[in-house]
Amino acid sequence: QVQLVESGGGLIQPGGSLRLSCVASGSVSDIYAMGWYRQAPGKERDLVAHSSSGVRPNYADSVKGRFAISEYNPKSTMYLEMNSLKPEDTAVYYCHAGVREGTYYVDAWGQGTQVTVSP
């Protein structure tokens, strides 16, 4: 099993920057992809950024040019650098990992960290 723990959320003014962190533990060698999702109140959980070995990261259109995910390495802390934050970026941000379990592929999620962008 894989456990994920996020940190770094908080209250930030529009135009500001935050960096989120995610640490994986457990069977990290079974991880084949990692990334970030977010969920705003009353909305579905959506992809923010995702990466895997040897593949360029992909980003949601709404964050391209403003957010950056760290280089893929499940054995190191994963970061999400968020710049030029907007009120619409307000959400709970979740760390995600795709994990192989035998012949199955499962999702692992962190507990989430709140990001609030407000004057």
Side-chain angles (χ1 to χ4, degrees):
Q1 289 188 348
V2 170
Q3 296 79 42
L4 303 172
V5 178
E6 308 100 332
S7 60
L11 174 64
I12 188 78
Q13 292 187 343
S17 299
L18 274 179
R19 186 175 74 166
L20 304 183
S21 302
C22 175
V23 177
S25 61
S27 303
V28 296
S29 59
D30 293 332
I31 295 174
Y32 63 89
M34 293 187 73
W36 295 91
Y37 286 72
R38 66 186 181 187
Q39 187 167 19
K43 296 188 177 181
E44 295 185 351
R45 190 174 298 188
D46 292 326
L47 171 73
V48 175
H50 221 262
S51 66
S52 58
S53 179
V55 178
R56 293 185 65 175
N58 64 298
Y59 294 91
D61 288 342
S62 59
V63 306
K64 283 181 180 176
R66 299 189 298 122
F67 290 13
I69 192 170
S70 56
E71 185 175 354
Y72 177 75
N73 183 353
K75 298 181 180 179
S76 295
T77 301
M78 178 176 68
Y79 299 102
L80 182 68
E81 298 279 355
M82 304 187 296
N83 300 307
S84 302
L85 282 161
K86 304 175 181 180
E88 50 263 45
D89 295 317
T90 295
V92 178
Y93 284 71
Y94 295 92
C95 179
H96 170 266
V99 183
R100 296 183 189 90
E101 289 190 357
T103 58
Y104 297 95
Y105 294 84
V106 299
D107 295 314
W109 296 95
Q111 80 286 357
T113 185
Q114 177 71 46
V115 173
T116 303
V117 185
S118 179

